[in-house]
Structure formats: structure tokens, C-alpha cells
Amino acid sequence: MTTIAIIGGGPGLGRAVARRFAREGFDVALISRSREHLDERVAALSADGVNARGYVADGRDAAALTRALADAASELGPIEVLQWSPVPAREFMKPVLETSAEDLVGPIEMSVYGPVNAVRQVLPGMRELGRGTIIFVNGGSAVRPGPKVTGTSVAFAGESAYGQLLHDALAPEGIHVAQLIIPRGIGRGEPSHEPAALADRIWQLHTDRGEFRTFAAPMDL
């Protein structure tokens, strides 16, 4: 048995992805900042028949994040799939002319330093398995900067660049790196943006192993 680790395991997309991968035999590690909500989500997944465990860690806290991933691999089994999908904090999203250098620290810690720390933790295990998938989930500002969401626009650009570099470097080793862009957010009446549909897309990214970037739906660039 292998494990999918979902960083940012919320009640919408996180739960849907957990259920989708569990149907294929994966155990599930949910990593989130809040123990209260995490326990609720693990209990809901357990009621669905999913073998899931929760681990508390903030993606900006390198020590807590790497410890959570190490514990998940030890308790559940090797991490074959890593999904990076934490929801950006509201304070990360300010208009460009109101954004200071200090305002960019949090977004960059979350979207650049965090993924680097997570990948470095799980990569040795993937190499030992001889396979693996790393998936970055981002909003449209990752490819079209938004003047009112400066923090995420800048940080997602760095995350995208890192992911593309990983994709190119790790493909020869059988480790696939992918990015799913979800324009206009999750849900909102668009069938392609519903959590279950997005979970199917993420499963396809794991199994089809194509190009780095995929869009949940077309967007103007």
C-alpha cells in the first residue's frame, strides 16, 4: 500500500481527492493547520471507508511540515503522491499598489518555500519506489497575474517555475510533476470545477503523466 499526502486537505477538494485515490487503494494523509477541523475531516473520511490519518502542520513551518510527512510515511506507507493545495490566506491578496515587500513574505513562504521543503522530504521515498507524482493545484493567478491578488500572483509564479523545473528534471526517473490550474475557483456552478470532477482530473494527472500544466477549464491568457 502507498499513500497520497494532501497538504491543504479541506472539506471540498481535499475530501474528494482523498475519496478518489482511496478507491484505487491508496491510504490518505491529510495535512492541515487546524487540529479541530482536521479531526472532523478524518472522521468523515473514515465514515466513507477511507483509511486516513491527519497531521497538523502549517506549510510555512518547515520543521512541522517535514515531520508530518515523515510521520505519514512511517504510519501509513510510502508517499507515492504529494498534492500541494493549501488555500491562500486572505492577507496574501492585496492590490499591487498596496503591497509591500513584507506582504510578500507569507505568500512566498507558503507557495515557494513550502513546496520545496515538502518535495525534498518525499522525493527519496519516491525514488526508492521507482515512481511518484507531485501535483500543484493553483488558481488562475498562477498564469495570469491579478492586480488585486498580488501576493498569490507573485508566489504562484514562483511555485509554477519550481514545478516546471521539477517536471523536466524528474521525468527521466519516472516521477511525474503536474500543475492543475482552476480558473475562477472551485464550484461556483461550473460542472468541471466541482470537487468530484476535479478529483477525477487529479487522478488522471497521476495516471496519464502528460505535460506539466493542465487547466480545469479554458481561460483567457
Side-chain angles (χ1 to χ4, degrees), residues 6 12 21 74 102 111 134 159 177 188 194 214:
I6 303 172
F21 275 76
S74 175
E102 289 77 11
S111 296
I134 299 165
E159 182 178 331
V177 181
R188 301 189 180 184
E194 292 301 318
T214 298

Side-chain angles (χ1 to χ4, degrees), residues 77-131:
I79 295 174
E80 182 179 348
V81 180
L82 172 71
Q83 176 176 306
W84 186 270
S85 54
V87 176
R90 289 185 180 275
E91 61 265 25
F92 293 176
M93 295 176 278
K94 292 184 177 181
V96 62
L97 296 180
E98 298 175 15
T99 300
S100 67
E102 289 77 11
D103 291 326
L104 295 178
V105 172
I108 290 172
E109 286 179 340
M110 179 63 77
S111 296
V112 180
Y113 297 167
V116 172
N117 288 324
V119 169
R120 289 179 66 84
Q121 177 62 35
V122 303
L123 188 55
M126 291 182 178
R127 283 174 162 157
E128 187 173 343
L129 280 173
R131 64 186 188 276

Side-chain angles (χ1 to χ4, degrees), residues 4-85:
I4 177 171
I6 303 172
I7 299 173
L13 181 60
R15 181 178 181 182
V17 171
R19 294 175 68 183
R20 182 66 181 85
F21 275 76
R23 292 209 310 267
E24 307 294 338
F26 280 79
D27 290 335
V28 177
L30 293 183
I31 299 175
S32 183
R33 287 169 284 191
S34 167
R35 167 60 67 186
E36 176 187 0
H37 297 304
L38 190 57
D39 288 344
E40 293 173 358
R41 291 161 190 166
V42 170
L45 285 171
S46 297
D48 293 337
V50 177
N51 185 27
R53 292 194 184 187
Y55 303 87
V56 176
D58 189 322
R60 298 168 61 184
D61 184 335
L65 179 61
T66 55
R67 183 170 58 250
L69 289 167
D71 288 347
S74 175
E75 295 171 7
L76 291 172
I79 295 174
E80 182 179 348
V81 180
L82 172 71
Q83 176 176 306
W84 186 270
S85 54

